[in-house]
Amino acid sequence: MLDAELLARIQFAFTVSFHIIFPSFTIGLASFLFVLEALWLRTRDETYLSLYKFWMKIFALAFGMGVVSGIVMSYQFGTNWGPFSEFTGGVIGPLLAYEVLSAFFLEAGFLGIMLFGLNRVGPKLHFTATTMVAIGTLFSAFWILSANSWMQTPDGYVIENGRAVVSSWIDAIFNPSFPYRLVHMVLAAYLTTALVVGAVGAWHLMRDRENRAARIMFSMAMWMAAILGPIQIFAGDLHGLNTLEHQPAKVAAMEGHFDTREGAPLILFGMPDMEEEETKYAVEIPKLGSMILTHEWDGKITGLKDFAPEDRPNAAIVFWTFRIMVGLGVLIALLGIASVIARLRKKLYSCGYLHRFALLMGPSGFVAILAGWFTTEVGRQPWVVYGLMRTSEAGSPVAPTAIAGSLIAFVVVYAIVFGVGTAYILRAMIKDPRSAHIPEETEILRAGGRQSTAAHPPVAGE
């Protein structure tokens, strides 16, 4: 029988893995809807409105599933992680409350107008609602990443009566790893959405290469992959340097280094063995590890042996999840480069290989985010708050059978609810986006009595 701590960790990992998928998708999708509606207002091209309505339905369902899966996690803080909640409540509690007050209220307050108000409030007020929802998703990311970053690199606090109390809100919110983590995550969310939009566009282009709505989707998505892919690699490098400074044990596990070395190699592949304290069957590139991490060929990399055995994260998990994330990041950048080449050769909408590549890469953003999340969270172990509270000290005295029972219930309910929701989203994606909008007389009047006036309105990305 597994112990209560491990069962609670499995339960939280299961629920957070579901939850992180939906907010990551809606952060990017809300901004995509903002751009589509702005283009429609500027050009009066009905194709943009069709695309807006096409993706708005998908956004609504993903947003709802994200909210539901997030509420479940909040309850787990009280049931399974009572000592953690008591110790960090003075810091984490207000940060999560700020998220509700500034982000969730903004999203929930304008979501109804965004979903049902286009024919009732007029285009400009409706565009304001779309803008507020998009800003709300970014606010939500801000506060959630601040709370998580504080657990990774706590700052701006004092310990009073066995509890963490904020001494400086500026230092607590803008803790040392927060800026890097926020940028890395928001870029990942935008790339994830771009890959999904690109895959849907590719799917419809493979059926009708003259489908203008599909062309717009595919073009915009490929621009995002081409621009944000390299920027994400650069942001990831800065994030890695920050992690090396504040969490060197995590970096040692990510790189598979057990011995401290100057001029350390980059281990491409291998099998980290925690008991033998070595990475077996390592495929290495000499000195490249030091160059990447310290920007010096002979830079010093601290190995896991310099940390007490009880303070080391699980190197095997962190090593491989990190490589999955980086590997997918490289493929995403290659997709962006391939799209630029196809665009220059005037074959962006006729290149079957590129469309199949984009279709295969559709889910890769979600996989990369999950792999990166596990790298971050498992790499922080054995600490739940780095250097302050161990995970073994954070659990509630709950019977293992109770946690196991609720875990089984979560698996069953999630499989049904989110399985049905995901199936509906996939079904909506394969419908022709051109059928999402049929102009109505009332809608034209609301838009100022104007229909599309341009014989060949400009197309984003072309």
Side-chain angles (χ1 to χ4, degrees), residues 283-355:
V283 178
E284 304 176 344
I285 300 177
K287 292 183 178 292
L288 189 57
S290 288
M291 185 61 195
I292 293 174
L293 288 172
T294 67
H295 295 183
E296 295 178 2
W297 289 111
D298 293 317
K300 181 180 177 181
I301 303 298
T302 303
L304 283 172
K305 288 181 182 178
D306 278 20
F307 302 91
E310 63 271 20
D311 291 340
R312 300 174 187 172
N314 187 309
I317 296 176
V318 176
F319 180 86
W320 279 108
T321 54
F322 178 66
R323 271 145 191 79
I324 292 172
M325 179 188 70
V326 172
L328 289 173
V330 172
L331 287 176
I332 293 168
L334 288 176
L335 174 63
I337 294 171
S339 73
V340 171
I341 295 172
R343 196 186 298 272
L344 293 174
R345 298 176 64 188
K346 309 294 184 186
K347 293 184 176 180
L348 185 65
Y349 308 118
S350 60
C351 183
Y353 292 111
L354 179 63
H355 298 160

Side-chain angles (χ1 to χ4, degrees), residues 216-263:
I216 292 174
M217 277 194 290
F218 191 68
S219 177
M220 293 175 74
M222 291 303 101
W223 273 127
M224 290 291 284
I227 296 171
L228 293 188
I231 294 176
Q232 178 69 309
I233 292 174
F234 176 69
D237 179 58
L238 294 179
H239 188 19
L241 295 176
N242 178 266
T243 305
L244 180 65
E245 179 181 357
H246 297 280
Q247 295 177 300
K250 181 190 291 187
V251 173
M254 288 162 58
E255 300 299 327
H257 290 306
F258 284 86
D259 296 302
T260 298
R261 298 177 60 178
E262 294 180 357

